Amino acid sequence: MKVIIVSILFFNSCFGFFRQTMSNEKTISLPIEGRTRTFLIHYPKKWKGEKIPLIIALHGRLGNGAYMINQTKLDVLSDEKNVIVVFPDGFRRSWADGRGSTPADEHKVNDVRFIESVAKYMIQEGSVDPSFIFLLGHSNGGFMAQRLALEKPELWRGVLSVSSQLSVFALKLKTPKTPVSVGILVGTADPIVPYSGGYVKDGGEILSAEDSFLRWKNWNGCEGEKKETVTTPEEGLRIETITYSGCNANTKIKLYKMIGVGHVWPGEKPMFKYWDKGIQLKTVQGSDFVWDFFSSL
């Protein structure tokens, strides 16, 4: 039994599923529809107790909150920019984004209510400015973020999905009742979530990244297109962006196209080396994209 326990702990530690909680962090448990749900709060090291912006960061499939911290380094962004970042844990390392294939979907877990409850907990705690609550997600977490942008647009100052876009399920669900700023950060050579749409390898039909972007453009009533290209030191890789800032309620939408890049969080050190996710973007950090979008809103 000791061998099994030690092996599990070693696996979790090596692959980033576990990390020691810092003095400026705490883990909270909430009862949600008969299940105990957990999330980790990272407060900026130099925070003085005033109400500041909040980012809720949703991990990808097979991850958890600790993995998301190790993958994204958003705790570093928190300390540098004086924002609180919350890292929720999905049900059995998954989110009920509606595509139907994850354990959370199969068990009909209400993740919309869970994430909404996380936001409300932070507001009631008195640490965050309710008008500056941001949501982001990677992969399965990104599809969940898109669902939350549709179902609860009034909660968010802005939403950013990474390696993910709108699913057909989300599109059939409803259209947002109020405008919300949305960013989409995707690799054009993603072997898991196809940029051109179709079916994701772990199940579910999705729109293309550009179709998803245009849906948000129309929902938000946007005008005034701006295109930019950013080169990188990595041969053949570049970032093309399309921005619409003339949208209803002063919202904005932005598409970040990582040309030639795969299913990655930019700058991450791959923890599953045997899993082919395509070409990594090594010289640009994902947190740079996060702050570029959220700080502009």
Side-chain angles (χ1 to χ4, degrees):
M1 180 62 71
K2 285 184 178 180
V3 173
I4 294 175
I5 293 173
V6 170
S7 297
I8 292 173
L9 291 174
F10 177 78
F11 178 86
N12 285 342
S13 177
C14 285
F15 287 99
F17 296 128
F18 174 80
R19 64 186 287 279
Q20 183 177 358
T21 302
M22 304 292 105
S23 60
N24 57 321
E25 298 174 344
K26 65 180 180 181
T27 299
I28 301 296
S29 298
L30 291 179
I32 305 291
E33 298 186 356
R35 293 185 174 91
T36 299
R37 305 301 300 273
T38 56
F39 58 96
L40 184 144
I41 309 170
H42 180 94
Y43 299 95
K45 289 181 178 179
K46 296 181 180 180
W47 179 52
K48 297 180 180 179
E50 73 278 18
K51 291 185 178 182
I52 58 176
L54 167 68
I55 297 173
I56 299 176
L58 307 181
H59 60 77
R61 179 76 178 94
L62 301 179
N64 61 9
Y67 184 92
M68 188 67 170
I69 299 173
N70 291 328
Q71 179 187 39
T72 65
K73 304 299 185 289
L74 287 171
D75 53 335
V76 177
L77 176 74
S78 169
D79 296 336
E80 291 178 349
K81 304 300 183 181
N82 200 41
V83 298
I84 296 171
V85 184
V86 167
F87 301 89
D89 296 309
F91 175 81
R92 298 186 182 177
R93 305 188 187 280
S94 72
W95 301 106
D97 63 39
R99 290 176 297 140
S101 59
T102 67
D105 265 329
E106 291 170 352
H107 286 78
K108 301 187 185 305
V109 174
N110 192 342
D111 276 327
V112 171
R113 182 178 175 187
F114 172 42
I115 301 305
E116 180 182 20
S117 297
V118 171
K120 289 182 176 179
Y121 175 92
M122 298 303 298
I123 293 171
Q124 292 170 359
E125 183 187 63
S127 57
V128 305
D129 183 341
S131 61
F132 285 90
I133 298 179
F134 302 94
L135 175 69
L136 71 86
H138 178 242
S139 193
N140 179 201
F143 286 111
M144 189 69 219
Q146 287 282 333
R147 179 177 184 176
L148 283 157
L150 285 170
E151 293 198 42
K152 299 291 179 179
E154 70 280 1
L155 286 177
W156 319 114
R157 184 79 174 196
V159 177
L160 177 67
S161 62
V162 183
S163 298
S164 49
Q165 50 248 30
L166 282 168
S167 67
V168 170
F169 167 84
L171 186 64
K172 292 179 178 178
L173 190 67
K174 61 174 65 177
T175 56
K177 58 186 178 182
T178 59
V180 58
S181 295
V182 173
I184 299 175
L185 170 61
V186 285
T188 61
D190 190 325
I192 298 170
V193 176
Y195 179 85
S196 58
Y199 286 87
V200 181
K201 283 191 174 182
D202 65 353
E205 187 178 2
I206 63 172
L207 278 65
S208 72
E210 294 188 13
D211 190 9
S212 300
F213 177 68
L214 291 175
R215 300 278 179 161
W216 283 110
K217 170 184 176 291
N218 293 333
W219 288 331
N220 284 3
C222 299
E223 297 178 350
E225 179 182 274
K226 180 180 179 181
K227 293 184 177 182
E228 295 179 296
T229 298
V230 179
T231 59
T232 75
E234 298 167 71
E235 185 177 355
L237 306 183
R238 66 185 188 279
I239 299 114
E240 296 179 357
T241 65
I242 306 174
T243 307
Y244 284 93
S245 54
C247 307
N248 295 336
N250 293 318
T251 56
K252 174 188 290 187
I253 62 168
K254 190 164 187 174
L255 175 63
Y256 298 85
K257 298 166 58 176
M258 298 184 288
I259 307 301
V261 177
H263 188 80
V264 300
W265 180 275
E268 72 172 308
K269 182 179 179 181
M271 298 181 188
F272 295 98
K273 295 183 180 180
Y274 55 85
W275 186 6
D276 181 16
K277 297 196 292 184
I279 294 175
Q280 171 63 280
L281 185 61
K282 300 176 182 178
T283 56
V284 181
Q285 297 299 315
S287 57
D288 293 337
F289 293 108
V290 171
W291 192 246
D292 173 74
F293 184 61
F294 287 162
S295 66
S296 71
L297 303 178

